[in-house]
Amino acid sequence: MGENNTPITFQSFAEAISSLEKLTKIESKVAIALEKSRVPWKESRKLLKCMNPAQISNTTLFQFMQSLFYQMGLGKLEILDVSRFQFTFGFKECEICNIYRSQKGGKICFLTSDALLRFFVKDLDLPCSVEETKCMKEGHEMCEFTVDLQPLGVYKIALDDIDGALINQIINKKFDLDKFAQENMMENQAVEYRLQVLQSYQIVDSDNKITEIGSTYQKFAQGLRSLEEDFDPPWKNLHEITSAISAKNSLAEALSETLNPEPFIKVDNSEVVNLAEEAKKSKSFAELISKYMKTSE
Amino acid sequence: MELYKIENVDFSINHGIVSEGSINLILKEGELFLSLENIILKDEKRWYDLPIKELENVEVISENPIILRFLSSSLELTVSGKYAERLLALRHFLMPYIHPKRKEKMKDSIKSMIKFWSLGVRNLQAFANLLQLTVDEIRRLIVFAKEKGLISQDGKLTDKAYNMFSPEERELLRNLEAING
């Protein structure tokens, strides 16, 4: 049994299967929701440039995520913390915890971790790892998840052409804040904010001098930014996503009854080959093959 | 014992923990079941079980079509089926029993380190900042990568390192390393 985890406990086999069926329904909704939720980089960029949870809460992308994850049936999403390559999200009213009613202790929301992972990787194009760090089953107020972003993926999306021009001028020692603001038709404050973002990504140091990471990034930035596609963000079709989730849910229920009309059966233990034991007793792959072939005859 | 049917599946059984390129023992058509303590597979003639307590990991090795790999210390089962949500739900149902995170994290860190290596990053502190690890952890990762033959003694990435990535990523990394000498 794995470290850090309490074995799942159920009052009965029926309760265990009921939990599995509820997970399957949520899984169907997650699949359909993620399929239709690809986000353009220009929107992901706004999220990546946020420096605190309040800024993130105000982005349309985060508000879309709240709606999407709620419709998947995973609970109410909140942003708790943000640092350079990490977000911490919380889920209140976590449905996965509700499914495991008899469970006491342990972190059990693997489906939620996986849904966050798939959303970040497939829909935001941001490679990452996700880990549940707190769970309501451990007595916490909400389930918490850290999303650790791969820096290369962040650099690919977070910085735009204006940032590229800014970095170029810094490298060539031609950067002048007033002039840059004027050339790009923006307030000085906006340029200062961009510099802060570059500092937070360690592209420039606290004196706005280019770093090793910054010069490496700039060598390849042009190629990476050229991969950007422009398309409508998914919240323009939120109604379509909502309808698809409802339709998929009804279809999954219908299919479940049709394909698995009598899912419960009984089998005598003596009829079953214990594969793990057989494999342990076999000294080689060839020996296991031989045993397996005999049992198949 | 009482069983619940998950899905009609194709399955194969392999001996031991085998890496990429493992030999499928036999690909069979059958059915996948769950009991309170076991994963059960059935083909035309027999029932086979893998106790849940023996599981070390359940991985998704392909999303479309969905293929799951159940790993124990002594064997692996590979299972594919038509309805992805059923197999994914089973995976999530079983995951609380096991804890493979540490191994996955190590693999992720090595892959990230290799990507930055191909970009020409060599400074330990820069690596540490980029990967959110300590300098000591980075030093150990580099030693490990050299011991495992991922980085050659003259500091070049080896074919073994490139083979950790998809063909597209591999090509990009080779180009980046060539540019950086």
Side-chain angles (χ1 to χ4, degrees):
Chain A
M1 205 63 66
E3 58 185 308
N4 253 352
N5 279 303
T6 309
I8 293 296
T9 48
F10 294 102
Q11 303 285 0
S12 63
F13 184 51
E15 187 194 325
I17 297 309
S18 163
S19 300
L20 177 61
E21 286 177 341
K22 286 175 187 165
L23 289 177
T24 308
K25 279 184 190 167
I26 294 178
E27 202 74 63
S28 298
K29 291 194 264 186
V30 169
I32 197 75
L34 296 184
E35 190 185 301
K36 294 178 179 292
S37 299
R38 201 164 156 246
V39 175
W41 287 6
K42 63 183 176 194
E43 297 296 337
S44 309
R45 188 173 293 133
K46 292 176 192 166
L47 188 83
L48 290 170
K49 286 193 170 185
C50 292
M51 294 195 179
N52 57 53
Q55 286 178 353
I56 287 182
S57 297
N58 285 329
T59 61
T60 320
L61 170 53
F62 179 71
Q63 288 157 13
F64 169 72
M65 285 173 68
Q66 285 181 309
S67 168
L68 193 72
F69 282 86
Y70 188 74
Q71 289 187 58
M72 288 176 194
L74 294 172
K76 291 185 174 172
L77 178 70
E78 292 191 9
I79 176 72
L80 303 176
D81 197 13
V82 55
S83 59
R84 198 156 24 106
F85 298 115
Q86 191 179 75
F87 294 108
T88 304
F89 294 107
F91 278 88
K92 278 188 172 167
E93 298 175 24
C94 171
E95 186 54 30
I96 304 299
C97 286
N98 274 340
I99 287 174
Y100 293 90
R101 283 187 190 283
S102 309
Q103 177 68 16
K104 301 270 187 291
K107 296 180 182 71
I108 57 166
C109 306
F110 288 88
L111 198 158
T112 310
S113 296
D114 206 33
L116 274 169
L117 178 79
R118 286 154 71 191
F119 179 75
F120 269 83
V121 173
K122 289 186 176 170
D123 292 330
L124 300 186
D125 206 7
L126 284 168
C128 63
S129 58
V130 180
E131 190 167 5
E132 185 179 21
T133 50
K134 289 181 184 173
C135 188
M136 286 166 67
K137 285 292 172 192
E138 298 171 318
H140 296 286
E141 187 193 345
M142 63 177 101
C143 298
E144 291 186 19
F145 301 83
T146 55
V147 176
D148 285 303
L149 301 169
Q150 280 184 16
L152 266 186
V154 173
Y155 288 136
K156 183 177 73 176
I157 290 178
L159 307 178
D160 58 16
D161 288 339
I162 296 175
D163 293 311
L166 181 51
I167 298 167
N168 247 341
Q169 293 197 1
I170 290 172
I171 288 176
N172 297 325
K173 301 191 168 52
K174 289 180 179 165
F175 175 65
D176 176 277
L177 197 144
D178 295 328
K179 200 174 154 197
F180 189 86
Q182 211 172 5
E183 280 170 2
N184 289 281
M185 290 181 286
M186 54 174 71
E187 301 288 325
N188 283 15
Q189 216 177 357
V191 180
E192 281 164 6
Y193 184 74
R194 281 178 184 268
L195 283 169
Q196 271 179 39
V197 171
L198 295 182
Q199 283 175 14
S200 76
Y201 287 134
Q202 300 193 331
I203 299 282
V204 298
D205 63 20
S206 53
D207 298 323
N208 293 331
K209 299 269 188 312
I210 200 79
T211 63
E212 185 182 349
I213 295 169
S215 53
T216 307
Y217 166 79
Q218 192 63 355
K219 269 192 221 171
F220 307 107
Q222 205 61 45
L224 292 173
R225 282 200 297 272
S226 68
L227 300 171
E228 182 163 358
E229 293 172 55
D230 194 16
F231 52 92
D232 279 345
W235 43 91
K236 295 226 165 168
N237 301 309
L238 190 57
H239 176 69
E240 196 184 302
I241 297 172
T242 306
S243 306
I245 290 172
S246 305
K248 179 83 178 178
N249 205 22
S250 313
L251 181 68
E253 278 179 20
L255 271 179
S256 173
E257 283 163 18
T258 315
L259 295 174
N260 222 357
E262 288 180 28
F264 291 97
I265 59 167
K266 285 197 173 168
V267 62
D268 195 305
N269 288 16
S270 63
E271 291 177 43
V272 181
V273 178
N274 184 322
L275 284 169
E277 284 306 308
E278 290 300 324
K280 277 180 201 165
K281 282 188 267 176
S282 306
K283 289 192 184 102
S284 67
F285 186 66
E287 197 182 330
L288 181 67
I289 289 179
S290 162
K291 279 184 187 174
Y292 186 86
M293 295 299 279
K294 276 179 195 160
T295 60
S296 299
E297 281 165 11
Chain B
M1 101 181 105
E2 194 173 16
L3 307 181
Y4 173 81
K5 183 174 170 182
I6 307 283
E7 167 77 303
N8 292 326
V9 293
D10 290 335
F11 68 95
S12 67
I13 301 165
N14 300 307
H15 186 256
I17 297 201
V18 277
S19 55
E20 284 172 50
S22 68
I23 308 160
N24 286 343
L25 186 51
I26 295 173
L27 189 67
K28 286 170 170 277
E29 281 183 23
E31 294 166 73
L32 175 67
F33 296 85
L34 180 72
S35 77
L36 201 50
E37 294 179 340
N38 305 281
I39 309 262
I40 310 269
L41 286 156
K42 177 182 182 286
D43 62 18
E44 275 181 0
K45 296 174 183 170
R46 296 211 173 249
W47 299 85
Y48 309 92
D49 83 3
L50 177 61
I52 293 170
K53 67 179 182 195
E54 300 272 348
L55 281 177
E56 292 185 348
N57 202 356
V58 184
E59 300 170 332
V60 177
I61 55 173
S62 161
E63 288 187 22
N64 193 14
I66 183 76
I67 303 177
L68 287 191
R69 178 158 60 193
F70 299 85
L71 285 169
S72 81
S73 61
S74 54
L75 61 83
E76 64 168 50
L77 297 177
T78 308
V79 173
S80 66
K82 193 173 169 190
Y83 296 99
E85 62 266 31
R86 292 182 179 198
L87 294 181
L88 288 174
L90 176 65
R91 173 174 182 265
H92 290 131
F93 180 81
L94 295 170
M95 286 304 282
Y97 289 90
I98 49 191
H99 192 78
K101 290 278 181 196
R102 187 175 298 168
K103 209 194 255 181
E104 279 176 12
K105 259 196 161 164
M106 172 86 169
K107 196 175 169 191
D108 284 349
S109 300
I110 287 175
K111 285 180 83 170
S112 300
M113 190 270 287
I114 285 171
K115 282 184 181 173
F116 284 112
W117 192 274
S118 76
L119 286 170
V121 177
R122 296 290 184 274
N123 181 299
L124 293 180
Q125 188 59 55
F127 263 128
N129 291 337
L130 287 165
L131 302 185
Q132 308 273 286
L133 296 171
T134 65
V135 168
D136 274 350
E137 284 170 329
I138 293 295
R139 199 173 282 124
R140 280 200 292 274
L141 271 185
I142 293 172
V143 168
F144 179 82
K146 286 185 173 172
E147 280 174 1
K148 292 288 170 191
L150 302 170
I151 297 173
S152 66
Q153 285 313 314
D154 59 354
K156 301 269 186 228
L157 293 178
T158 65
D159 286 345
K160 198 173 172 186
Y162 290 120
N163 286 338
M164 294 172 77
F165 298 90
S166 66
E168 296 79 26
E169 286 179 309
R170 216 176 289 162
E171 196 185 335
L172 177 67
L173 291 180
R174 281 189 196 278
N175 291 339
L176 291 175
E177 201 190 19
I179 292 168
N180 283 289

